[in-house]
Amino acid sequence: MEHTRRNKIVDLLKSKDFGSEVLVKGWVRTKRGNKNINFIALNDGSVIHSIQVVVEVANFDENTLKLVTTGSCIAVKGTLVESMGQGQHVEIQAKAIEVYGTADNETYPLQKKGHSLEFLREIAHLRPRTNTFGAVLRIRHAMAYGIHKYFNDQGFNYLHTPIITGSDAEGAGAMFRVTALDDKNPPMLPDGHVDYSQDFFGKETKLTVSGQLEAELGAMALSLVYTFGPTFRAENSNTPRHLAEFWMVEPEMAFYDIHDNMDLAEDFLKYLIQYALDHCYDDLEFLNKMYDNELIDRLKGVLECSFERLSYTEAVKILKASGQSWEFPVDWGTDLQAEHERYLVEKHFGKPVILTDYPKEIKAFYMKQNEDGKTVRAMDVLFPKIGEIIGGSQREENFDILVKRIHELNIPEKDVWWYLDTRKFGTAPHSGFGLGFERLILFVTGMSNIRDVIPFPRTPKNAEF
RNA sequence: UCCUCCUUAGCUCAGUUGGUUAGAGCAUCUGACUGUUAAUCAGAGGGUCGCAAGUUCAAGUCUUGCAGGGGGAGCCA
């Protein structure tokens, strides 16, 4: 049995090659039947559907069949036939079964019946074997591939930015420290602080919160670059939209202004959603049926509309004129709250919204300042259900203005000298944005908790598996 | 981190104003059934009621603390 190439279930389910000999290997979802005939639903993860294996009990060793239980892993050699039953077109008449791995029914946690997502989070090592997580993980893969394909086709270069960083300049949140010092007896300075000059890198280092600053360095040579890698935030965020370890996509484009940036963001998101509909329809259909009846309609809706683009200032006017009562008051100069963003996206416009030109005080130092002296060329893409999916901006390319802003915010110039050098030598107008990969997967799958769209979520108080 | 709700069988949950031996469905096990579709039917086993303390003649039920989880908020992607 080992020497024959196995057939993938995704291919067999589409096959009309009845009578051919096939070999399938996978995990048993259910076995049912009577003392004469058994039906095994076998899944190998190649597709959400299982294939039905028909077993004439008389032809098999009773002890072998006893080991074929929900969760066990088996290989089946048999004949592909047209199904006599109602639920499927093809099935396999089994000739030989080899059990690779048993799964004790008394202790195997996954049942034939549905489980709560909360319970499955506690057994994240086994949840990929469920229909739901199979679907989510296949979609996640397709989106990762689609991202690379999109940027490659557009002439972007995939730039690997560092995971370990010595700069704390992004200001995107609390960071995890990286150290090789003895945690029981670290070298100390006279002032009582740890002496990181004796650490592995000779300075204090952290896990990155963003690859953007380094991506800008790449864009100042290759014109079009993007990063796609893990990102870490040590914030104590306990929400269905935050992870301590997540994946972020950050394109950075020389010679793009804020409008080019918005065009790219919109086209990029639509491409990915179309890619999911084209390549993951079975999985989307399952998720649409089981979790979110409006999922596929919502995805198609995004493709059909053009994103509403307006300035922060205009948004504030709309919110003030809305007559809604807010938990947090709307006022020019304060950041918009989730309730405000939701109103704009879900009630007022009923489609994705791109907000631009925010007050500079509530945005990062590197964003390009407008002539009004008050706002910066930021752009946030807001999506229904999940809120901010993309945050980006045109970058400040003027050396003097950027240095002045850095001083205003008390960012040590010595930490970002290399970043400032790009504005000193051959500076160029440029733009970029960050897409939270898991937030994209949330939107595309219709899942409602970000912990269910990454295989092994890292959140406060949880680094299991 | 804040607000709020939850924690009872392997899973999902019910459990009345505090009162005898804590229930159901599914799962598991045993048996029946010649093609099933979350198979069906019959029977059986399965519980430190999250942990700790308190109130009470009596606590799954009331109080306090702790832990874990859900939802909302903040931080953000």
Side-chain angles (χ1 to χ4, degrees), chain A residues 126-394:
Chain A
L126 296 172
R127 68 179 183 170
R129 299 190 193 183
T130 63
N131 286 334
T132 299
F133 284 88
V136 167
L137 293 176
R138 279 185 297 272
I139 291 170
R140 187 180 165 103
H141 159 77
M143 290 296 89
Y145 180 76
I147 285 163
H148 286 300
K149 179 163 168 49
Y150 178 84
F151 284 128
N152 181 67
D153 292 352
Q154 302 274 330
F156 280 66
N157 293 281
Y158 180 25
L159 185 75
H160 292 104
T161 52
I163 310 289
I164 298 171
T165 177
S167 91
D168 191 7
E170 289 93 348
M175 301 172 86
F176 291 101
R177 179 171 294 129
V178 176
T179 179
L181 291 175
D182 180 358
D183 61 353
K184 290 197 184 65
N185 188 25
M188 303 298 286
L189 291 166
D191 67 1
H193 288 91
V194 172
D195 182 7
Y196 286 106
S197 72
Q198 295 187 46
D199 204 346
F200 186 89
F201 295 106
K203 66 189 291 193
E204 189 175 3
T205 48
K206 312 278 185 63
L207 290 178
T208 184
V209 293
S210 164
Q212 180 201 314
L213 299 189
E214 289 91 347
E216 286 188 48
L217 313 183
M220 292 299 98
L222 299 165
S223 299
L224 301 174
V225 301
Y226 71 104
T227 73
F228 184 3
T231 310
F232 306 88
R233 305 272 166 94
E235 300 286 347
N236 192 12
S237 298
N238 292 288
T239 86
R241 294 179 308 283
H242 290 85
L243 292 165
E245 176 184 288
F246 64 100
W247 289 68
M248 190 151 63
V249 182
E250 293 173 293
E252 197 68 37
M253 300 77 65
F255 319 120
Y256 272 49
D257 67 13
I258 182 85
H259 302 289
D260 303 321
N261 203 16
M262 285 190 278
D263 289 345
L264 180 75
E266 182 168 345
D267 187 58
F268 176 54
L269 288 169
K270 286 178 171 172
Y271 174 89
L272 292 172
I273 290 166
Q274 184 68 57
Y275 192 90
L277 287 167
D278 290 345
H279 295 87
C280 308
Y281 203 80
D282 284 357
D283 291 324
L284 289 173
E285 226 170 17
F286 173 82
L287 296 169
N288 192 82
K289 189 172 124 202
M290 300 300 289
Y291 292 98
D292 182 352
N293 293 328
E294 294 164 0
L295 172 62
I296 290 175
D297 286 344
R298 193 181 313 116
L299 295 179
K300 288 179 175 168
V302 168
L303 294 178
E304 284 156 12
C305 72
S306 61
F307 297 1
E308 190 69 33
R309 301 181 186 187
L310 71 161
S311 70
Y312 166 91
T313 303
E314 291 167 312
V316 167
K317 272 185 208 155
I318 289 171
L319 292 167
K320 282 194 161 187
S322 71
Q324 298 275 314
S325 62
W326 307 109
E327 190 185 339
F328 297 91
V330 182
D331 236 327
W332 200 98
T334 62
D335 210 353
L336 298 182
Q337 304 294 314
E339 58 174 341
H340 307 139
E341 296 180 349
R342 257 202 312 276
Y343 175 82
L344 289 170
V345 173
E346 291 165 15
K347 292 233 175 70
H348 190 80
F349 292 111
K351 58 178 175 174
V353 171
I354 309 181
L355 289 183
T356 60
D357 302 292
Y358 283 73
K360 69 177 176 185
E361 282 74 22
I362 59 174
K363 288 292 182 185
F365 74 93
Y366 47 72
M367 295 192 181
K368 182 167 179 63
Q369 296 182 37
N370 281 316
E371 291 73 22
D372 62 12
K374 294 188 291 188
T375 60
V376 290
R377 282 180 210 173
M379 56 155 227
D380 284 1
V381 181
L382 309 179
F383 258 38
K385 277 195 79 173
I386 57 170
E388 185 179 342
I389 193 171
I390 277 179
S393 71
Q394 186 170 342

